[in-house]
Amino acid sequence: MQKSLVVAALAALFLAGCEDETPEVTERIRAIKTYTVSQHASGRSRKFPGAVEATDTSSLSFEVSGNVTKVLVDAGDKVVAGQELAELDAEPYRLDVQSGEADLGSARAGFNEKSLELERQKALFAKGWISQAALDQAVAAFETAKNDVDIAQSKLSRLRRDLGKTVMRAPFDGVIATRSVDPFVEVNRGQALFEIFAEGALQIALSIPETVIEQINLGLPAAVNLSSFGACECTAVVTEIGSSAETANAFPVKATLLNPPTSVRPGMTAEVEFLLGIEDTASNFLIPIDAVAAGSQSGQPINLSSYVFVFDAANSTVQKRAIKIGPGTGSFVEVQEGVEPGDVIAAAGVSFLSDGLKVKLLSE
């Protein structure tokens, strides 16, 4: 009987404990991507088409004529400075060097002979056995022989240089862009056989209208869109501005690409976007267009027709703030009122946010 009462009491306690337990509800905190307000909207956007080209490029040719015996690279090959690219038949130049060496030997022998003759004539003149005219003749012969040696030495140096020029080498590290030669073909001095691009260093060639060129200056940054990559988020900076107009009164401008994707190649088309300066926008800022939500808040002026969510680090919440927006510049929009430098705003997914919502940063 007592045992039954104990069991019943324990069961009652167990059931009471179960009734007191309530399932714990875990609060879900949304992670947000943020953007820190800092970039001034200093002007209006203008876009210009262009083409990617290598910053350093060179057409390669032999400095001597001859018959090509070897072509060791093809278009698209990567090369290093000093690497052999092609060879000419060197035998004719080797024979010329041998002939030049013989001529130099003959000139030196003649010089030695005239040198000894001059010493002999000087000794005879000192004894009064020959005239001044005879001594002057010996001196002139010596000087002529000396000049013959100098000429022969210079000729031999040129012939040896020509022999060395029968091998074409890469002037710098790069990529062979084009090849216009095959073995067993006779080529002329200066005939372009290869086009080589310096690897990695790329720029965009642009034509800027005369109505805009005054607003373009060296060091001006630009956003770049490469048609082959879509929105690649590439950037460039102006490094060269032509001093005279070319076709259609447009000025040539070069903008160097900063850290482009490795697969970008010369010849690709590009669109370059400049933010041209206008003084009255110096106090405005650029923010990502995805950070802006449409609509208005009650009690706000009608021109503050959009808003952003500003992150409050003190309590990890976002505060809804009305802004006044201006014109867009690509993937950014100009904010004329409502944000300050240093504000951290939600940069995506703003339609899922609300005023005072507790959030965490995406990196947390």
Side-chain angles (χ1 to χ4, degrees), residues 297 309 318-321 353-357:
Q297 302 184 77
F309 287 95
V318 289
Q319 306 300 321
K320 190 175 182 181
R321 184 186 297 175
L353 303 179
S354 59
D355 190 30
L357 180 67

Side-chain angles (χ1 to χ4, degrees), residues 8-349:
L10 290 174
L13 289 172
F14 176 76
L15 291 174
C18 292
E19 290 176 357
D20 292 338
E21 290 183 2
T22 57
E24 182 179 352
V25 178
T26 302
E27 181 183 9
R28 182 185 175 189
I29 300 178
R30 181 176 295 277
I32 61 169
K33 178 182 178 182
T34 61
Y35 176 84
T36 302
V37 177
S38 61
Q39 184 178 358
H40 282 278
S42 57
R44 295 292 182 263
S45 171
R46 289 293 300 271
K47 297 180 180 180
F48 302 96
V52 179
E53 62 181 25
T55 302
D56 296 316
T57 181
S58 179
S59 294
L60 304 182
S61 61
F62 282 108
E63 296 184 38
V64 293
S65 303
N67 188 274
V68 179
T69 58
K70 292 181 182 179
V71 178
L72 304 174
V73 294
D74 207 345
D77 289 351
K78 292 185 178 182
V79 296
V80 297
Q83 180 177 332
E84 186 175 334
L85 308 179
E87 288 184 14
L88 294 178
D89 180 10
E91 187 60 24
Y93 295 95
R94 201 171 287 117
L95 294 175
D96 286 344
V97 169
Q98 293 176 2
S99 176
E101 290 172 343
D103 290 345
L104 178 59
S106 177
R108 283 174 173 169
F111 172 76
N112 291 336
E113 179 183 346
K114 297 303 180 183
S115 180
L116 292 173
E117 178 64 17
L118 177 60
E119 293 301 322
R120 190 176 71 84
Q121 292 294 333
K122 284 181 178 180
L124 293 176
F125 180 78
K127 295 178 180 180
W129 293 354
I130 62 171
S131 64
Q132 180 66 47
L135 178 61
D136 292 342
Q137 186 176 0
V139 171
F142 171 81
E143 293 296 333
T144 300
K146 181 180 178 181
N147 289 337
D148 289 344
V149 171
D150 292 340
I151 292 172
Q153 183 65 63
S154 297
K155 178 182 177 182
L156 179 59
S157 297
R158 178 177 57 81
L159 293 174
R160 285 174 173 167
R161 180 179 179 277
D162 288 347
L163 176 60
K165 294 300 181 181
T166 59
V167 176
M168 181 187 294
R169 300 185 182 278
F172 47 76
D173 295 352
V175 178
I176 300 298
T178 61
R179 165 184 158 176
S180 307
V181 63
D182 291 302
F184 313 114
V185 173
E186 191 77 19
V187 296
N188 297 320
R189 176 178 178 272
Q191 179 180 338
L193 305 180
F194 298 99
E195 189 84 10
I196 183 173
F197 294 154
E199 188 175 13
L202 299 173
Q203 62 187 12
I204 300 175
L206 304 163
S207 292
I208 305 298
E210 60 182 350
T211 54
V212 182
I213 192 64
E214 287 298 326
Q215 301 180 61
I216 304 296
N217 52 71
L218 294 177
L220 181 67
V224 179
N225 179 41
L226 298 170
S227 58
S228 301
F229 293 86
C232 72
E233 298 183 358
C234 303
T235 56
V237 61
V238 174
T239 51
E240 183 179 330
I241 302 175
S243 58
S244 60
E246 296 182 346
T247 306
N249 291 334
F251 289 78
V253 171
K254 301 292 178 67
T256 298
L257 276 168
L258 305 178
N259 301 318
T262 56
S263 50
V264 176
R265 302 290 181 85
M268 290 182 172
T269 56
E271 183 180 65
V272 178
E273 181 179 7
F274 293 108
L275 198 61
L276 303 180
I278 297 179
E279 293 181 359
D280 60 5
T281 62
S283 61
N284 299 343
F285 298 91
L286 293 178
I287 66 173
I289 196 169
D290 290 340
V292 179
S296 61
Q297 302 184 77
S298 60
Q300 293 291 346
I302 190 65
N303 61 346
L304 299 180
S305 57
S306 300
Y307 57 85
V308 294
F309 287 95
V310 181
F311 178 69
D312 185 350
N315 53 24
S316 295
T317 61
V318 289
Q319 306 300 321
K320 190 175 182 181
R321 184 186 297 175
I323 60 171
K324 179 180 179 181
I325 61 173
T329 58
S331 60
F332 286 79
V333 67
E334 179 182 323
V335 178
Q336 299 172 347
E337 294 180 26
V339 295
E340 299 292 337
D343 282 347
V344 178
I345 62 175

